[in-house]
Amino acid sequence: VEQGDEVLLLEPFFDLYIGQIRLAGGTPTYCPLQPNSSKGFELDIDLLRSKITPKTKVLILNSPHNPTGKVFNKDEMEAIAQVVRENPQITVVSDEVYKYVIHSDASAKPEDGGADAGSLGSEGHVHFAKLDGMWDRTLTVSSAGKTFSVTGWQVGWVIGPSRMVRDVQTMLPFVQFCASTPMQEALVSVLKHADQPYKGEETYYDWLRKGYVAKRDALAAA
């Protein structure tokens, strides 16, 4: 992002995005999600397309979405990807920090696409960078904080083409300086153990998802 470049946000959005965009010299622009009484929030793809100008250099995509909780399904992601293909100047920053707390069936894995019938659940998580042609256009951002309830660790990661990751590495010392080495080592250990059986479930992620589904169902039934 250079001075005057536009960064497109799906509204509502995580409030820190605004300051980060302006710090980089960018101008935030907005595409509001549309409320739907039966489906929560929907993306009007034609409206998204209309918000893009030659100055639009970045689209910030957040799924599962903060603050609405919306999980963009594969059809929506494919539609967004097509808009990106039509605009070769656009890079996508895909914020996926909530990917393991989707409120779908506890037995469903990310990207299975299924949800428990008749529930308030959403389809499984879809990695935007895995869609056709999107790896080279996407910087995927994630964090240990939400998945492992350790927001104080301030440890996360980015995945993407080397040219994009290199720029993140260049900027990081001027923003955070560095993440604590013990916290990084702890995260490596946690990520290894999370794929193993945990409290009667196949993995920690299955246990986490099942817990969130139970809490959601309890609130929905109240």
Side-chain angles (χ1 to χ4, degrees):
V1 174
E2 303 292 344
Q3 192 73 33
D5 287 344
E6 295 176 354
V7 179
L8 184 55
L9 295 164
L10 302 183
E11 194 176 22
F13 49 82
F14 181 43
D15 58 352
L16 289 185
Y17 291 156
I18 292 290
Q20 293 165 342
I21 292 167
R22 289 175 175 161
L23 181 65
T27 300
T29 59
Y30 313 99
C31 177
L33 298 174
Q34 306 301 306
N36 184 305
S37 59
S38 63
K39 297 182 179 179
F41 286 83
E42 291 184 304
L43 174 64
D44 183 332
I45 200 66
D46 291 327
L47 180 60
L48 176 67
R49 188 175 276 110
S50 74
K51 298 294 183 178
I52 294 173
T53 76
K55 291 184 177 181
T56 306
K57 296 299 175 64
V58 175
L59 168 64
I60 296 182
L61 178 60
N62 177 209
S63 181
H65 185 257
N66 179 8
T68 68
K70 174 180 174 56
V71 179
F72 290 84
N73 63 37
K74 190 170 183 179
D75 287 343
E76 290 173 313
M77 290 292 203
E78 289 283 7
I80 295 170
Q82 180 54 38
V83 173
V84 174
R85 295 183 192 105
E86 295 166 4
N87 295 274
Q89 82 278 14
I90 291 179
T91 295
V92 175
V93 175
S94 184
D95 182 347
E96 304 183 11
V97 300
Y98 294 103
K99 62 178 277 188
Y100 286 113
V101 294
I102 54 175
H103 293 180
S104 60
D105 188 328
S107 65
K109 304 295 190 299
E111 300 196 40
D112 281 352
D116 42 328
S119 76
L120 298 177
S122 305
E123 292 188 14
H125 179 70
V126 177
H127 290 283
F128 187 78
K130 293 186 71 173
L131 301 179
D132 186 35
M134 291 302 103
W135 164 258
D136 202 47
R137 309 281 299 278
T138 305
L139 191 65
T140 302
V141 181
S142 196
S143 166
K146 306 302 187 294
T147 303
F148 302 107
S149 302
V150 289
T151 52
W153 286 15
Q154 295 289 295
V155 178
W157 56 90
V158 294
I159 300 172
S162 59
R163 71 181 191 284
M164 295 185 189
V165 174
R166 179 192 62 230
D167 292 341
V168 174
Q169 292 171 328
T170 300
M171 186 64 184
L172 185 60
F174 302 102
V175 179
Q176 187 190 23
F177 186 65
C178 67
S180 166
T181 298
M183 297 301 97
Q184 294 184 63
E185 292 286 352
L187 176 57
V188 171
S189 178
V190 165
L191 289 173
K192 291 178 180 178
H193 283 84
D195 286 323
Q196 299 173 7
Y198 185 81
K199 293 189 176 181
E201 301 298 330
E202 185 177 346
T203 69
Y204 167 80
Y205 304 116
D206 293 319
W207 172 84
L208 181 68
R209 190 177 300 110
K210 186 175 181 178
Y212 273 101
V213 170
K215 293 173 185 177
R216 176 209 62 190
D217 290 345
L219 286 172

